[in-house]
Amino acid sequence: MSGPTYRGKVRDVYDNGDGTLTLVASDRISAFDVVMGEPIPDKGRVLTAMTAFWLTEVLDDLCPNHLVSMVDDGEHAGRAMVVRKAEMLPIECIVRGYLSGSAWKEYERDGTMHGAPLPAGLRQSESLPEPVFTPSTKAEVGDHDENISFGRAVELVGAEVADEARRISLEAYRRGADHAAARGILIADTKFELGFIDGRLALCDEVLTPDSCRFWPADGWSPGEVPPSLDKQPVRDFLEATGWDKSPPPPALPPDVVTATTARYRAAYERLTGRSLDARPAPPRP
Ligand SMILES: Nc1ncnc2c1ncn2[C@@H]1O[C@H](COP(=O)(O)OP(=O)(O)O)[C@@H](O)[C@H]1O
Ligand SMILES: [Mg+2]
C-alpha cells in the first residue's frame, strides 16, 4: 500500500479508487487537542472494533451506514475497515446528554447551549432534561470546530437534511447511551459524521468510540464535578501533573502511563461489547 490519501489526527484514509475507502485507525492519541508522541498499543483495534460493534449490532436497522467489510489480514489487521465513500455533510452531528466541554463553557457564560436557552441553575456535567442535537461546523485542518445553532445547520444543509440528521443522531445516541448505561458507562456526548451514499443519509466515520464520545464511569459521575475519562484519564493525570502548558510539543508519556491507558481502552471495549479484544484480528508480529 502506498501512502494514505489523507492523514487525520488519528486515522489514515486510503482511497481505493472504486468508490470505497480504507479507514485505518492508528494507535495515536490526542489529549487537550495535541497528539502525543507515543502510541497507545491496541487503541486503533479498539476504535475499529467498537465502531463495527455499534454499526452491525445496535444501529444496523436505524439507517444506512458506510461499512463494507473489516480488514482482518495484513499490516492493518483489526485496525481498518473498508467503507463506502460518502458525500460528507459539512456539519458534525453532536448529541449531548450531559452538560460538558464547550457546551458547559457557553452555558456558564451565556446561559445557552449552541445558542438555545437551557433551564437556569444547571451544574457542570449535569444530565440535560433530554438529549439535544447540537451541531458544529467542520473546521478545516488546524482550526477548531465552531458550535452552531440548529437554525444555522438548516442554512448550511437545508431543513429536510438537518431534520433527518437530527433524527438519526438522536436515535443513535439514545440506543448507544441505553446500551452503555446498562453496563455502568455514561455517554456524556458524542459526535457523528453523516454523509450521502446512493442519495440516502448514512452513518459514516467512527461511531460511539472513545475518540468521538465522552465516556464516564457511572459510579464516578457527580454533577458539579468533572468525571474521570473512562479511557484517557491516565494520560490526562500525567500531563496535568507535569504542569505542561498544553501547547506542542507534549511531554513524553512514560511506559507505565502508556500501559495503563492501553488497559483502559481494552476494558472499555470489553465492558461495552461483552467481547474480548483478543478475539479480534491483530497485525502479524514483526
Ligand atoms: N464514508 C466516508 N466517506 C468519506 N469520508 C469519510 C467517511 N468516513 C469518514 N470520513 C472522513 O475520514 C476522515 C477520518 O480521519 P480522522 O482521523 O477522523 O480525521 P480528522 O482528524 O479530520 O477527524 C475524516 O475526515 C472523516 O470525515
Ligand atoms: Mg475524526
Side-chain angles (χ1 to χ4, degrees), residues 131-142:
V132 187
F133 177 68
T134 54
S136 74
T137 59
K138 257 174 113 161
E140 297 301 317
V141 176

Side-chain angles (χ1 to χ4, degrees), residues 84-104:
R84 293 280 302 277
K85 189 174 178 175
E87 193 71 50
M88 301 301 286
L89 294 187
I91 55 171
E92 312 231 320
C93 297
I94 301 168
V95 178
R96 302 177 185 277
Y98 295 77
L99 191 52
S100 185
S102 60
W104 163 249

Side-chain angles (χ1 to χ4, degrees), residues 6 8-11 21 66 84 86 88 138 193 204-205:
Y6 171 81
K9 277 202 293 284
V10 167
R11 280 165 312 148
L21 304 172
H66 68 166
R84 293 280 302 277
M88 301 301 286
K138 257 174 113 161
E193 291 193 30
C204 298
D205 204 58

Side-chain angles (χ1 to χ4, degrees), residues 46-120:
V46 165
L47 261 54
T48 297
M50 211 183 269
T51 294
F53 168 77
W54 296 115
L55 287 180
T56 58
E57 299 195 34
V58 182
L59 305 173
D60 55 323
D61 61 339
L62 170 61
C63 63
N65 70 61
H66 68 166
L67 178 60
V68 175
S69 59
M70 304 297 286
V71 175
D72 290 346
D73 303 295
E75 59 169 328
H76 297 314
R79 303 195 287 126
M81 51 173 66
V82 177
V83 304
R84 293 280 302 277
K85 189 174 178 175
E87 193 71 50
M88 301 301 286
L89 294 187
I91 55 171
E92 312 231 320
C93 297
I94 301 168
V95 178
R96 302 177 185 277
Y98 295 77
L99 191 52
S100 185
S102 60
W104 163 249
K105 282 194 194 127
E106 178 187 330
Y107 175 78
E108 227 188 346
R109 192 180 60 230
D110 303 329
T112 56
M113 182 168 72
H114 293 239
L118 278 182

Side-chain angles (χ1 to χ4, degrees), residues 15-29:
D15 193 328
N16 301 318
D18 61 354
T20 69
L21 304 172
T22 300
L23 297 182
V24 183
S26 73
D27 290 338
R28 297 192 286 275
I29 188 171

Side-chain angles (χ1 to χ4, degrees), residues 125 185-186 188 214-222 225-234 236-237 264:
S125 310
I185 295 169
L186 303 180
R214 276 191 183 82
F215 285 132
W216 294 338
D219 59 11
W221 173 68
S222 156
E225 287 161 37
V226 179
S229 160
L230 189 70
D231 38 272
K232 275 184 194 174
Q233 203 58 39
R236 296 225 177 114
D237 289 345
R264 294 285 197 116

